[in-house]
Amino acid sequence: MVLFEAELAFVYTFLLGAVGLALTVLTGRARRWHCYRALVLFLFSLFVILSGPFVFTHYPSAQYIYIAAIVPAWLLLFPCFYLYTQALTSPVPWQFNRASMWHFIPASVSCVLSASLMQLPESELFAIFFAEDNVELTADARFTVWLIIILMLFWPVQSLFYVLKAWRKVMNYRRKLQAVFSNTQERELNWLVVVLILMLFTWCWLALTLFQDLSAQPTLLREGGVAVLSTISIWFVLFWSLRQKPGFGKIYGFTEQLDMTGDERRVMATARVDVKYQHSALGDEQSKRIAQKIHRAVVTEQLYLEPDLTLYRLAESIGVSANYVSQTLNQTLGQSFFDYINKARIDAAIKLLLADDKTVLDIAMAVGFNARSSFYKAFKAHTGMTPGEYKKTARASR
């Protein structure tokens, strides 16, 4: 048992150092980019939480300060992670605003508890947190205990709420990507999905320890499981967040022109696949002319060969607004920008596939894909077969 606790303390101390290092790197970036500020707050909250073993081992005199600080830290953790997710998926440069401040209300309120704790004498604090027998508490101490219980019940609800909210944000973001990018592979935030899944597992594990009596089970089941899941999640966040840039960062210049107020809904209304154009001034004849221009630019002039082609690049090429191009693709041609461009690429790939013996990777690169995996995925989506299966079927039918 002692050995396991020592190993657990070592893991958390190691993570503490890693989080501290990431904080020093990201703090410099956060001065220029607001999207990193939410991440810095998340990592700072995590740093406070992970510092527990270090404080109790090396600075026991500061243990009650840590206990007081950990309450707001827990309540900041998931709101900050959600805001970071919002920043990565925003079609315009994200920044803190009044709406963002609402997410900090629970943590701000919890400061009342922290202040109450620091006002209690040390004997009362010991009785609340470390006494093994039932002890008589003063009215102030009982009030503090009740606050702790309320927050213990509130935090799981808050954490689950923000994990699910972040999940929904990422799923909606993936659909929005296909409205403006022909290649979405490096922008899909798969690592963030993995982190959210791990967070859900961790939440379920914690709920299991709360609602079931696991006292008879091994320590590994009670504490080790949470430690493993938390460690993996933290490492995913640390590794990828240092590399990740906002998904729409490349087109910020265009989206800012579309909506100078920074309202995400108005920006994406120009590019959503399911957008309704009841009040648009674009008529049927004009839509057909724009459709012809799109076909000529994409297929005849082979604009699809640009690996990172965007809706705005296509609109600029044909001299039509991005809003009209998006409407024509969705309403007249019945396809998203992503599907239309990749259909043109697959049609060109089929000709190369049947014409000579180039490798699949060579063909993928030759028609505008920048990864073999994205080529396979698009090829199967449009033909129902892999390139190899399609080639065999075509040869057999000759």
Side-chain angles (χ1 to χ4, degrees):
M1 181 72 70
V2 175
L3 179 60
F4 173 76
E5 291 178 355
E7 292 174 346
L8 201 60
F10 173 78
V11 170
Y12 283 125
T13 302
F14 184 73
L15 285 176
L16 183 67
V19 171
L21 180 61
L23 271 172
T24 59
V25 174
L26 290 171
T27 300
R29 298 183 188 179
R31 293 172 183 171
R32 294 187 300 122
W33 300 96
H34 278 245
C35 64
Y36 291 114
R37 297 183 183 183
L39 179 60
V40 166
L41 283 175
F42 169 78
L43 292 179
F44 179 76
S45 302
L46 194 61
F47 185 87
V48 172
I49 294 168
L50 291 173
S51 64
F54 182 81
V55 171
F56 282 99
T57 302
H58 299 284
Y59 299 98
S61 60
Q63 60 186 359
Y64 296 119
I65 297 176
Y66 167 78
I67 292 172
I70 200 175
V71 179
W74 275 112
L75 292 174
L76 275 176
L77 198 63
F78 286 94
C80 289
F81 189 80
Y82 168 74
L83 290 175
Y84 173 59
T85 303
Q86 190 178 61
L88 289 181
T89 58
S90 174
V92 291
W94 183 88
Q95 57 184 342
F96 281 106
N97 51 37
R98 290 183 180 180
S100 305
M101 296 302 106
W102 287 99
H103 298 283
F104 299 100
I105 289 178
S108 300
V109 173
S110 72
C111 291
V112 175
L113 173 59
S114 298
S116 300
L117 281 174
M118 298 310 297
Q119 294 299 319
L120 295 175
E122 187 171 339
S123 58
E124 292 284 349
L125 292 173
F126 181 85
I128 293 173
F129 296 106
F130 301 110
E132 297 181 359
D133 301 324
N134 292 329
V135 294
E136 188 67 27
L137 299 175
T138 63
D140 289 342
R142 286 197 299 270
F143 173 74
T144 302
V145 170
W146 275 109
L147 282 178
I148 293 172
I149 293 173
I150 291 171
L151 289 175
M152 286 179 63
L153 295 174
F154 173 75
W155 183 81
V157 176
Q158 184 212 41
S159 61
L160 181 61
F161 170 78
Y162 277 111
V163 168
L164 295 177
K165 195 173 176 67
W167 181 277
R168 183 180 178 185
K169 180 70 68 175
V170 172
M171 294 301 106
N172 289 335
Y173 160 78
R174 285 181 163 185
R175 288 192 290 269
K176 292 174 183 177
L177 283 178
Q178 296 192 357
V180 293
F181 291 108
S182 62
N183 170 40
T184 64
Q185 187 174 28
E186 295 181 357
R187 299 181 173 92
E188 290 183 350
L189 300 180
N190 292 324
W191 69 270
L192 194 57
V193 174
V194 173
V195 170
L196 291 173
I197 292 173
L198 288 170
M199 285 181 173
L200 283 173
F201 271 107
T202 305
W203 188 94
C204 293
W205 202 292
L206 287 170
L208 186 66
T209 61
L210 286 173
F211 295 110
Q212 290 190 9
D213 182 13
L214 297 179
S215 59
Q217 300 297 334
T219 303
L220 179 62
L221 180 61
R222 298 198 315 273
E223 301 173 3
V226 173
V228 170
L229 290 172
S230 300
T231 300
I232 296 174
S233 301
I234 292 169
W235 271 112
F236 261 96
V237 172
L238 293 179
F239 179 79
W240 286 104
S241 63
L242 293 173
R243 305 173 59 186
Q244 187 66 58
K245 296 180 180 179
F248 289 98
K250 183 178 179 180
I251 59 170
Y252 275 167
F254 295 102
T255 55
E256 285 181 297
Q257 292 172 15
L258 286 173
D259 183 8
M260 298 304 293
T261 66
D263 186 345
E264 178 177 337
R265 289 173 296 178
R266 286 181 55 196
V267 172
M268 292 316 300
T270 66
R272 286 179 57 189
V273 176
D274 61 344
V275 71
K276 304 300 181 183
Y277 299 99
Q278 295 98 330
H279 305 292
S280 173
L282 187 61
D284 291 341
E285 289 300 320
Q286 191 177 1
S287 294
K288 290 178 181 178
R289 289 195 297 271
I290 293 175
Q292 291 172 354
K293 287 184 177 182
I294 292 173
H295 178 82
R296 183 165 59 252
V298 173
V299 179
T300 307
E301 298 174 7
Q302 297 184 321
L303 198 61
Y304 66 82
L305 293 178
E306 294 187 16
D308 221 10
L309 182 66
T310 68
L311 174 74
Y312 302 101
R313 169 72 178 90
L314 172 59
E316 182 183 36
S317 176
I318 64 177
V320 178
S321 72
N323 186 30
Y324 281 179
V325 172
S326 178
Q327 179 175 344
T328 301
L329 286 168
N330 289 283
Q331 195 176 53
T332 304
L333 301 177
Q335 298 181 73
S336 68
F337 173 77
F338 177 86
D339 289 333
Y340 185 85
I341 300 301
N342 281 291
K343 176 64 165 58
R345 290 170 175 170
I346 295 304
D347 289 341
I350 288 174
K351 295 177 182 178
L352 294 176
L353 190 67
L354 300 178
D356 52 42
D357 293 325
K358 284 186 176 180
T359 66
V360 172
L361 181 59
D362 288 340
I363 293 174
M365 297 299 177
V367 298
F369 289 96
N370 56 11
R372 178 172 176 164
S373 58
S374 57
F375 172 65
Y376 264 87
K377 185 177 180 180
F379 196 98
K380 193 162 187 178
H382 287 280
T383 66
M385 294 179 280
T386 65
E389 292 170 344
Y390 188 93
K391 192 170 186 178
K392 288 179 182 180
T393 303
R395 285 180 175 177
S397 60
R398 289 178 180 176

